[in-house]
Amino acid sequence: MVTLCEVGPRDGLQNLPRTFTVEEKITLITRLAAAGLSSIEAVSMVNPARVPQMAGAEEVLAGLPELPGVHLSALVLNLRGAERALATRIDGLRFAVVASDTFCRRNQGMSSEESVAEFARAAKAARSSERDIVAVIATAYGCPFEGEIAPARVARMVEAMIAAGASQVVLADTIGVAVPANIRCLHDHVAPVLGGRPWGVHLHNTRNTGYANLSTALELGTSVVDASIGGLGGCPFAPRATGNVATEDVNYLMQRSGVATGLDHDRLSDLVDWLDGLVPERITGQLGRAGWFGAEAAA
Amino acid sequence: MVTLCEVGPRDGLQNLPRTFTVEEKITLITRLAAAGLSSIEAVSMVNPARVPQMAGAEEVLAGLPELPGVHLSALVLNLRGAERALATRIDGLRFAVVASDTFCRRNQGMSSEESVAEFARAAKAARSSERDIVAVIATAYGCPFEGEIAPARVARMVEAMIAAGASQVVLADTIGVAVPANIRCLHDHVAPVLGGRPWGVHLHNTRNTGYANLSTALELGTSVVDASIGGLGGCPFAPRATGNVATEDVNYLMQRSGVATGLDHDRLSDLVDWLDGLVPERITGQLGRAGWFGAEAAA
């Protein structure tokens, strides 16, 4: 069973030139749920002075209707963010640590080691509130400032966070540099220290390797695949960052590979059309233009 | 050993809104060779009334300098095209047959079976001229008009063309619908009838699966990978066709995976810049914008 975790409302919106209103964010999340997404990273509990696109997280969550069967999570970078999230209706936390020290200091003002220690504090708070916490490891496949990241270093971080209570571990190619061999190599380092917890991938398609990496991760038995509707996304603190793998294209690849997703292609397409009207230059997903295989034949 | 076959001068240019001059085509091919491409599909011997972008094939070939170590090929669709090509300096032919009857009639005015028979005639002519002939099977993974194509049908065509003298077989996802499972499935059907001849893939990235398919083909031991500089390309007779996998991005994926390509990334990038000035809206390769991994770190 592979869970597609939709990160469009968070990663997708965080570096757009146009800041979505609270109302638009609520529309986006509600329509994602209606298209069949059962896991949605809905908000980010970061400083709105640093990332204005992410302002209004509490209002978004309060304004959302009941979404039965949908797991809503918040991205957090520190204990303060975790506490903000735990004061809301959120179902779980996704805590981002960063494998690269340099990137970690720029992104969240602490070292990698400090971010793992902060994860442990957040995990404790999550446990007290009976919410789950996912460990997301940014720049796990490479850093724009430090270059290659040693897989053994990532594995040590994973081990520490599993011990601290991570329910899952998501390995993130924040700047889209990985190739399938890297996915395989890091998997081989991390698998022995997962202690039976599921692992996943968060992939950016910056160098056209994102879907190849996804395909390899699926072969290796990934349980979680992050994707962003329309292929929006990118870290505001990574140079020349570009979007995540697109939910609608991931859905095509997975469904045509015989991996069930539970997603409704037509509803996803309608949602991409809506986003295309708002941020046309940022749509990197291709299914919207190309259509599902067979569409032309039927026309 | 994997040969990267550059199809930019043919597939890349054939559906552009802007027709390249003979001089521009010569520049393109010469610069591709200088970047390390040792196999180049340089021209297409088709009717210029149907595909005006491909006019001037003989002039292009006559105008090219000596290119030592570079294998130049011509795409042909019938015996007439083969004879045109064999009257030039060309090193080999790439003959396209089409797995779908409907597409074959629209693209080259004959049935699939007739195109295989025509291949045999062209192969005989090539043999007389001591040139090699590659069998390219278009719509091998799906047709915009007929939908799914039975892998057994493709395998029968391969068998016939191997018997008729094909030096290689290239399986083409003309409309970019394949997923890695399809690459695997067709490989499993075709491998037993190859008679030891190399096989390759020609992939379009229309639904963001092209690089995943490439990665799978490499795992399966493909010997030939078609790619187009900048990711230009698309069949003029396929609805909503888009570009091939991009040479510069394929080079990134392969080199970072430890597969030697012999290509010079900087020269490829310069060439992409040049193309970006001519057909900016058609560049789908991402390395030009993103840069090689480590570029930011060095900056």
Side-chain angles (χ1 to χ4, degrees), chain A residues 9 21-23 25-26 29 42-43 55-65 89:
Chain A
T21 65
V22 166
E23 205 48 59
K25 289 175 181 174
I26 290 171
I29 296 165
V43 295
E58 283 84 353
E59 291 84 343
V60 170
L61 292 169
L64 281 173
R89 65 182 278 185

Side-chain angles (χ1 to χ4, degrees), chain B residues 104-137:
Chain B
C104 201
R105 287 180 203 281
R106 291 202 190 205
N107 199 62
Q108 46 227 61
M110 57 180 96
S111 71
S112 290
E113 202 178 334
E114 286 162 349
S115 77
V116 171
E118 189 80 349
F119 172 88
R121 287 186 279 274
K124 201 173 162 193
R127 199 161 44 242
S128 304
S129 302
E130 296 180 352
R131 320 298 171 92
D132 60 287
I133 184 166
V134 174
V136 179
I137 308 188

Side-chain angles (χ1 to χ4, degrees), chain A residues 144-145 147-148 177 180 182 184 205-208 211 215 219 240 249 252 256 284 286 289-291 293 296-297, chain B residues 144-145 147-148 177 180 182 184 205-208 211 215 219 240 249 252 256 284 286 289-291 293 297:
Chain A
F145 312 113
E148 304 282 353
V177 291
N182 302 129
R184 209 174 286 279
N205 194 39
T206 311
R207 288 164 183 82
N208 258 332
Y211 299 87
S215 180
E219 273 175 40
R240 288 181 283 174
D249 293 10
Y252 178 84
R256 294 256 307 150
T284 61
Q286 299 192 337
R289 274 182 292 268
F293 176 38
E296 296 97 336
Chain B
F145 311 113
E148 305 282 354
V177 291
N182 302 129
R184 210 173 284 280
N205 194 38
T206 312
R207 288 165 184 83
N208 257 331
Y211 299 88
S215 180
E219 273 175 41
R240 288 181 282 175
D249 293 8
Y252 178 83
R256 294 254 309 148
T284 60
Q286 299 192 337
R289 274 181 293 267
F293 176 38

Side-chain angles (χ1 to χ4, degrees), chain A residues 44-62:
Chain A
S44 178
M45 296 298 185
V46 292
N47 184 346
R50 288 202 78 205
V51 191
Q53 293 92 335
M54 291 290 96
E58 283 84 353
E59 291 84 343
V60 170
L61 292 169

Side-chain angles (χ1 to χ4, degrees), chain B residues 186-244:
Chain B
L186 190 53
H187 166 265
D188 293 349
H189 278 80
V190 165
V193 298
L194 282 171
R197 297 290 182 176
W199 67 285
V201 283
H202 174 102
L203 302 164
H204 285 259
N205 194 38
T206 312
R207 288 165 184 83
N208 257 331
T209 61
Y211 299 88
N213 294 338
L214 166 67
S215 180
T216 298
L218 289 169
E219 273 175 41
L220 293 169
T222 188
S223 299
V224 184
V225 169
D226 281 10
S228 170
I229 186 79
L232 304 178
C235 175
F237 303 106
R240 288 181 282 175
T242 61
N244 293 265

